[in-house]
Amino acid sequence: MTTPDARSGTGRPAELFFEDLVPGLTVDLGVVTVDADEMVAFARRFDPQWYHVDPDLAAASRHGGLIASGFYTVSLFMRAYVDHLLSRAAADASPGLEELRWLAPVRAGDRLAVRVDVMGARPSTARPGLGTVSLTGTMLRLGPDDRPEQEVLRTRFRGWFAVRPAEADPAEAEAPKAAPTDADQPGVDQPGVDQPGVDQPGVDQPDSDLTAADPSTVGSSDGNPTESSGSPEAQRPD
């Protein structure tokens, strides 16, 4: 069974781990096409400013027509990031963004090339078993010849990824067990070995009137987990 730490961001078994996300790595996240109906529906639900939802006002403005909400554009980036990287990587949560910039308007029908670059990676000091990866994501509008025309989005952020699980040593797993000896067999008297219930000369026997120790006096705990002094979601340490 695949453990949670060895699952990708979409729940499937992971094939990429923290050790694979080395600085300098660039991951192509494909090309997305901006759908007009989806773009406007998103704006009506989450960002209903006139230049996102009113085609007449937008056409009469300096924008020359409807432009996408920036949050719709970054949502397109996130979907490409999940589909092409997190679906393969042992991804945990993200401690947040350092930068999010909308560099040019995005319009219906635009074709946007998406990529992410690994800028840095180090083991997490707050979460053993995870590494913190610093990433830069970009989206570029493509021209009719499929060449990049303009960068429309840039974001810098961090993600937590599980380290590769240690594998058991095959030699240890396949090592044969030693055959039992007579000393291991119950009920076999061994020379020079004290047998239970037989008084041995010079051996102190326990007093018969002693009672067992009260289990409640032997370092028992209440079994309740210790609460953390701070929420990792609020503190967001690396």
Side-chain angles (χ1 to χ4, degrees):
M1 179 178 179
T2 305
T3 65
D5 286 345
R7 290 193 179 278
S8 74
T10 54
R12 296 195 295 266
E15 58 185 76
L16 297 175
F17 293 86
F18 167 71
E19 294 85 351
D20 301 308
L21 301 174
V22 296
L25 176 68
T26 296
V27 182
D28 182 356
L29 304 182
V31 175
V32 298
T33 300
V34 180
D35 180 85
D37 292 338
E38 183 181 68
M39 180 185 87
V40 174
F42 181 99
R44 285 176 176 158
R45 174 69 175 85
F46 298 106
D47 188 4
Q49 301 183 75
W50 60 266
Y51 42 82
H52 297 325
V53 298
D54 190 318
D56 294 331
L57 288 178
S61 75
R62 65 180 180 86
H63 300 296
L66 291 177
I67 60 174
S69 165
F71 290 100
Y72 173 71
T73 306
V74 77
S75 295
L76 293 178
F77 170 83
M78 188 67 204
R79 180 57 191 257
Y81 180 47
V82 171
D83 285 348
H84 296 279
L85 180 57
L86 298 188
S87 63
R88 302 166 54 208
D92 202 89
S94 168
L97 299 171
E98 279 79 39
E99 178 185 28
L100 175 58
R101 299 187 65 193
W102 297 297
L103 302 171
V106 171
R107 304 176 189 275
D110 281 353
R111 297 174 62 249
L112 307 176
V114 192
R115 79 168 192 241
V116 68
D117 296 281
V118 178
M119 310 305 293
R122 57 189 171 82
S124 174
T125 57
R127 300 199 172 196
L130 297 179
T132 301
V133 179
S134 299
L135 303 135
T136 295
T138 56
M139 301 182 81
L140 298 100
R141 182 186 294 111
L142 298 179
D145 57 358
D146 286 341
R147 292 187 179 182
E149 286 187 339
Q150 188 175 20
E151 187 177 10
V152 301
L153 179 142
R154 183 188 309 136
T155 179
R156 290 189 299 110
F157 60 101
R158 290 174 293 156
W160 282 318
F161 295 85
V163 301
R164 180 170 280 103
E167 296 183 0
D169 186 347
E172 293 182 2
E174 298 177 3
K177 295 182 179 180
T181 63
D182 289 342
D184 298 325
Q185 305 302 316
V188 178
D189 295 342
Q190 302 297 323
V193 177
D194 295 341
Q195 302 302 314
V198 178
D199 293 341
Q200 303 294 327
V203 177
D204 294 335
Q205 302 299 319
D207 295 333
S208 60
D209 58 347
L210 293 180
T211 59
D214 182 355
S216 66
T217 66
V218 187
S220 62
S221 100
D222 59 8
N224 293 325
T226 303
E227 293 185 358
S228 171
S229 60
S231 168
E233 296 302 322
Q235 296 178 359
R236 297 278 186 212
D238 290 341

